[in-house]
Amino acid sequence: MVIIVNGETKEVEDSIAVADLIISLGLKPERLAVEVNRAIIRRAAWSSALLAEGDRVEIVNFVGGGEIVMPQL
Amino acid sequence: MSDTFVIAGRRFKSRLILGTGKYATNDLMVKALEASGTDMVTVAVRRVNLEDRSKESFLDHIDTRKYHLLPNTAGCYTAEDAIRTAMLAREALGTEWIKLEVIGDERTLFPDNDGLLQATRHLVREGFIVLPYFNDDLIVARRLIDAGAAAVMPLAAPIGSGLGIQNFTNLRILRELVTEVPLIVDAGVGTASDATLAMELGVDGILMNTGVAGARDAVAMAEAMNYAVRAGRLAYLAGRIEKKLYATASSPTAGMIE
């Protein structure tokens, strides 16, 4: 199935769990936050939260920043 | 002299808060943080870069035992975006602290006071410790405090401009009348004397980024800011002499040879 991750189209296996998506993207899970269709998925629910066709996923972490403005989330 | 800097019950050694953006390298940033003496640094929430994993480990460069992390909502133009960013930061870091920015104009980066107030109220209700960046305006400061802000952070000049304090009168009025929460100058500091002047006015702390990160030698400027903030604070506590038009001799006039 196809989902949108950080604005990019990704082909993933059907009903993939958020936890498995993070692994498949090769991301370190520490200090990440995940939104699916604008709702935050708490870390404890990553294994049980299953994604569906067309879901919009945002995965964020931190970059250097202070009194500066960077591109929109 | 006991002189502590406390925000929302948390004590800080340094009155200088540093941003972590715009450094040429992470190594330079680490050295600048060290030289500045700060114990609170701001970080920004952004999409994970799915192609370039080198950016993924930014927080690994910051020793979180030494530095309290203050995530920000930089780049947010609506209360809704700022709230969403704050929620993501809390989820990712497990911190309630948020430096709240709701920007109203791209060219000046001046804050949108309506959006800022709305987001402050919402986030305080959600249990956040909110440190809002706002215009140097007393009425907005009072509304932010009423909304539950843990500190108020007026700009000295536009973000990244390095112009130094543009409106001493507003800042002095804020200093006299804002007593409920810490008053922190956020943005506009260009060099050490700007920081000292702000501290001499009695503000409780200063947040800066570009003034340090953009200096030719960021580590040296960080050290200069360390001294500048402390010097200004000490001078404020020491109490300056009155300004007078004419000279006053400092050597005794008695016992002069004749």
Side-chain angles (χ1 to χ4, degrees), chain A residues 6-34:
Chain A
N6 289 358
E8 290 173 35
T9 304
K10 295 268 175 201
E11 178 72 42
V12 294
E13 56 184 91
D14 288 359
S15 306
I16 189 173
V18 168
D20 294 327
L21 174 69
I22 287 167
I23 293 166
S24 75
L25 291 169
L27 300 174
K28 282 192 285 182
E30 296 85 23
R31 293 151 158 178
L32 292 181
V34 179

Side-chain angles (χ1 to χ4, degrees), chain B residues 95-161:
Chain B
T95 180
E96 261 78 40
W97 290 63
I98 192 79
K99 182 200 163 186
L100 187 62
E101 289 183 26
V102 181
I103 302 299
D105 175 67
E106 210 168 325
R107 185 145 186 217
T108 59
L109 299 180
F110 284 150
D112 174 337
N113 292 328
D114 274 352
L116 190 65
L117 270 164
Q118 201 188 321
T120 300
R121 284 193 197 102
H122 185 98
L123 289 170
V124 167
R125 268 202 307 276
E126 292 277 345
F128 281 85
I129 293 164
V130 181
L131 286 69
Y133 151 80
F134 75 117
N135 278 316
D136 51 357
D137 182 292
L138 175 67
I139 311 311
V140 177
R142 285 187 169 152
R143 289 190 179 145
L144 289 168
I145 293 165
D146 287 346
V152 288
M153 306 206 295
L155 52 80
I159 289 175
S161 69

Side-chain angles (χ1 to χ4, degrees), chain A:
Chain A
M1 66 176 189
V2 169
I3 59 171
I4 315 287
V5 182
N6 289 358
E8 290 173 35
T9 304
K10 295 268 175 201
E11 178 72 42
V12 294
E13 56 184 91
D14 288 359
S15 306
I16 189 173
V18 168
D20 294 327
L21 174 69
I22 287 167
I23 293 166
S24 75
L25 291 169
L27 300 174
K28 282 192 285 182
E30 296 85 23
R31 293 151 158 178
L32 292 181
V34 179
E35 262 185 0
V36 176
N37 302 327
R38 293 208 156 220
I40 288 178
I41 308 296
R42 302 299 303 267
R43 187 172 296 266
W46 283 2
S47 304
S48 54
L50 306 182
L51 296 171
E53 176 85 33
D55 275 351
R56 303 185 74 88
V57 182
E58 293 286 345
I59 307 175
V60 301
N61 64 355
F62 293 87
V63 298
E67 47 169 28
I68 59 164
V69 170
M70 293 174 71
Q72 277 285 25
L73 187 70

Side-chain angles (χ1 to χ4, degrees), chain B residues 175-198:
Chain B
R175 175 60 299 168
E176 290 209 0
L177 298 179
V178 171
T179 51
E180 304 90 331
V181 297
L183 176 68
I184 299 167
V185 163
D186 178 6
V189 169
T191 188
S193 54
D194 296 338
T196 304
L197 285 171

Side-chain angles (χ1 to χ4, degrees), chain B residues 57-242:
Chain B
S57 57
F58 173 77
L59 278 188
D60 293 346
H61 298 280
I62 297 176
D63 183 349
T64 50
R65 289 162 303 175
K66 269 165 70 181
Y67 305 111
H68 181 63
L69 292 180
L70 179 61
N72 68 28
T73 64
C76 292
Y77 280 79
T78 63
E80 191 195 357
D81 275 352
I83 290 164
R84 186 178 167 208
T85 302
M87 298 283 190
L88 285 166
R90 176 165 72 177
E91 171 62 18
L93 282 183
T95 180
E96 261 78 40
W97 290 63
I98 192 79
K99 182 200 163 186
L100 187 62
E101 289 183 26
V102 181
I103 302 299
D105 175 67
E106 210 168 325
R107 185 145 186 217
T108 59
L109 299 180
F110 284 150
D112 174 337
N113 292 328
D114 274 352
L116 190 65
L117 270 164
Q118 201 188 321
T120 300
R121 284 193 197 102
H122 185 98
L123 289 170
V124 167
R125 268 202 307 276
E126 292 277 345
F128 281 85
I129 293 164
V130 181
L131 286 69
Y133 151 80
F134 75 117
N135 278 316
D136 51 357
D137 182 292
L138 175 67
I139 311 311
V140 177
R142 285 187 169 152
R143 289 190 179 145
L144 289 168
I145 293 165
D146 287 346
V152 288
M153 306 206 295
L155 52 80
I159 289 175
S161 69
L163 287 169
I165 302 169
Q166 292 300 292
N167 196 330
F168 279 90
T169 308
N170 274 8
L171 215 50
R172 284 172 63 186
I173 289 171
L174 281 168
R175 175 60 299 168
E176 290 209 0
L177 298 179
V178 171
T179 51
E180 304 90 331
V181 297
L183 176 68
I184 299 167
V185 163
D186 178 6
V189 169
T191 188
S193 54
D194 296 338
T196 304
L197 285 171
M199 293 307 295
E200 283 176 352
L201 281 181
V203 304
D204 296 295
I206 302 188
L207 194 160
M208 64 178 83
N209 187 347
T210 312
V212 171
R216 196 174 56 239
D217 183 340
V219 180
M221 186 58 90
E223 189 179 0
M225 291 300 184
N226 185 349
Y227 294 130
V229 168
R230 288 195 283 152
R233 180 65 186 176
L234 268 176
Y236 169 71
L237 293 175
R240 61 156 300 138
I241 60 163
E242 240 180 88

